Amino acid sequence: MICVTALDSRPACERPAIYYDVVSYKQLDARRLRLIVIGVASSLVAAGCTATTQSVGDGVASSRNDATIGSPAPPSATAEALVPSTMPVTTTTTTTTLPATTTSSTTTSTSTTTTTEPPLDVFAPDCVVRAEADTALEAVAIANDVADLSALWFENGQLDVVSAGGLIDICAGNELNDIDGQTRPPIDAQALELAAVSNVERQQAKLNELFAAYGIGDLDVDGISGPRTGQRLCAARLALGLTPTIADMAPGSNEQAALFTATSLPTPASTATESERWVLIDRTCQIMFIGAGEQTVFVFPTSTGSEGYETRDQDRAEAFRFNPALDNGGWHDSSEYPVGVDNPLNGNLYKPLYFDLGQSIHGANNVPSTPASKGCARLSVADQNTLVGWLGLDTATGETWRKSEINVTVNVQGTFVGR
């Protein structure tokens, strides 16, 4: 008979396991040992004791070797707690390993590290910012609430684009270089005017560079932003994908930065590049782009129809008629607006190329930078000869009506707004 004798007079649920005396351990085999363990554990449960489970790690209960005892031990009783380790036990144990069922819980945590940049090593750190990328001064002004873009441009030595890592002095007008502490001249009206003239000269030189290969005459680099400079600025905006306008470009602006960083003149996106040969007439700029496929070949100043006689919108209209007017030196007397004497200054047409009923592209001796014609698009006589020669029509001996032989489409767009 196997018995358990209590050596402590306290209630069973309050006695620690070490006070239980297990009799005849040497005679017990592994099976009886398991019965003792189960019996003692049952006594504890029957006595109404509350089990306490020790946590290990992330809330996982410690239960060593539960699967090797045969039946899982209750959460509050383990073999080590029930059998004193000081008593010799000779046992033969058959171990059965049971598959463990594990429920995994994954907790994802997001760690946010805030890095405080050290102040810039400059004379006045609160007045200086560093460009993280190539940045136009206009973007710097917007980001730092600088109201006067011209003053910011003047303060930083007439820069348009600050290279990545460059320093920008944003405290304009304080007569101080906040980067190195040196004094600056005051920003007054005269200083800004002189700087503006210098800036227009820079623009004119850059425009001459971009348009040099397209048959258009150079601008005078004189610092005077007149109608021709406005016309050329508008053409550059159109090619560069900016909003077309003949207005001046503000120094330090995003569009001026785009102008000065351009290395070539793109073909305008609104051009009918799917045509083998094309002409784009823009009324906003009073400019004509001419090209083949994706390539621009010529850019010429033009003068479109005046108010009440506007050159009509066109979308890949085919040029259908060419009149070399060889019997009058190339000058054709308009049937709709005839003149008594063949006077090109009064609306006669030099070698007209018709694209929409009576409207045409033709040469004239007077091609202002504003709309002035009766609906046609004027070119200078020299530019009209260049266009006719490029189209292969300079050898025509008479009037030509064959679209396939002329082989050019015409687009007309835009609205002229004067300065």
Side-chain angles (χ1 to χ4, degrees):
M1 177 178 178
I2 301 171
C3 64
V4 179
T5 303
L7 303 180
D8 192 342
S9 62
R10 288 179 291 176
C13 64
E14 297 180 3
R15 302 181 207 132
I18 199 167
Y19 284 95
Y20 290 92
D21 181 21
V22 182
V23 181
S24 303
Y25 278 96
K26 292 184 179 181
Q27 289 80 26
L28 296 180
D29 58 15
R31 180 173 177 276
R32 291 178 179 175
L33 177 60
R34 288 196 299 272
L35 291 176
I36 293 171
V37 171
I38 294 170
V40 174
S42 299
S43 298
L44 293 175
V45 173
C49 296
T50 301
T52 302
T53 303
Q54 182 181 2
S55 294
V56 179
D58 297 327
V60 180
S62 174
S63 178
R64 293 183 0 198
N65 301 325
D66 287 349
T68 62
I69 297 180
S71 298
S76 61
T78 62
E80 291 86 351
L82 295 173
V83 181
S85 59
T86 56
M87 299 194 65
V89 179
T90 303
T91 61
T92 302
T93 303
T94 302
T95 302
T96 303
T97 303
L98 299 178
T101 301
T102 305
T103 301
S104 299
S105 176
T106 302
T107 302
T108 302
S109 61
T110 301
S111 176
T112 302
T113 302
T114 302
T115 302
T116 302
E117 293 289 338
L120 295 173
D121 184 17
V122 295
F123 181 78
D126 291 342
C127 283
V128 181
V129 296
R130 187 189 301 279
E132 295 182 0
D134 292 355
T135 309
L137 283 183
E138 184 175 357
V140 175
I142 293 171
N144 294 279
D145 297 323
V146 179
D148 191 342
L149 178 59
S150 293
L152 181 65
W153 171 76
F154 189 81
E155 182 80 10
N156 287 275
Q158 304 177 14
L159 297 175
D160 298 296
V161 177
V162 182
S163 300
L167 300 177
I168 308 115
D169 184 349
I170 60 173
C171 292
N174 63 354
E175 301 183 23
L176 184 68
N177 183 332
D178 294 293
I179 298 173
D180 60 16
Q182 299 296 313
T183 58
R184 291 191 190 275
I187 301 177
D188 55 23
Q190 183 179 8
L192 284 175
E193 183 178 353
L194 291 174
V197 169
S198 174
N199 187 59
V200 171
E201 290 176 348
R202 295 172 62 232
Q203 290 179 356
Q204 291 167 333
K206 182 64 178 183
L207 290 168
N208 287 342
E209 174 190 325
L210 289 177
F211 286 89
Y214 299 101
I216 193 169
D218 282 348
L219 296 168
D220 292 333
V221 181
D222 55 9
I224 301 172
S225 184
R228 292 297 178 188
T229 297
Q231 185 181 50
R232 202 70 56 88
L233 285 171
C234 186
R237 288 178 172 113
L238 181 62
L240 294 171
L242 306 171
T243 301
T245 172
I246 63 173
D248 290 335
M249 277 189 180
S253 63
N254 292 331
E255 60 178 5
Q256 179 162 298
L259 173 67
F260 283 115
T261 55
T263 56
S264 62
L265 191 73
T267 295
S270 54
T271 297
T273 53
E274 63 273 22
S275 297
E276 185 176 350
R277 298 192 296 195
W278 48 263
V279 171
L280 173 64
I281 301 168
D282 189 86
R283 292 172 299 219
T284 303
C285 302
Q286 296 293 291
I287 205 79
M288 186 182 298
F289 284 79
I290 300 167
E294 299 285 342
Q295 182 181 6
T296 297
V297 179
F298 302 111
V299 182
F300 295 141
T302 189
S303 178
T304 61
S306 57
E307 186 176 357
Y309 303 96
E310 288 82 1
T311 307
R312 294 181 286 269
D313 284 353
Q314 303 296 324
D315 182 9
R316 288 171 290 177
E318 292 181 291
F320 66 92
R321 177 186 171 202
F322 170 67
N323 187 353
L326 296 179
D327 57 344
N328 194 35
W331 291 99
H332 173 71
D333 193 7
S334 170
S335 58
E336 189 170 356
Y337 302 102
V339 292
V341 179
D342 195 8
N343 182 353
L345 293 179
N346 287 328
N348 281 350
L349 321 175
Y350 180 78
K351 296 184 179 180
L353 179 68
Y354 296 91
F355 58 86
D356 178 26
L357 302 177
Q359 294 192 338
S360 69
I361 300 169
H362 67 81
N365 286 331
N366 180 28
V367 186
S369 59
T370 56
S373 81
K374 291 296 190 291
C376 296
R378 297 181 188 178
L379 293 178
S380 70
V381 170
D383 290 344
Q384 184 71 6
N385 280 331
T386 299
L387 172 60
V388 168
W390 181 69
L391 292 173
L393 299 173
D394 52 336
T395 58
T397 57
E399 199 169 24
T400 301
W401 287 78
R402 291 185 294 274
K403 293 180 181 179
S404 59
E405 184 177 338
I406 298 171
N407 187 27
V408 67
T409 65
V410 179
N411 278 22
V412 179
Q413 65 182 25
T415 302
F416 182 77
V417 179
R419 289 193 173 195

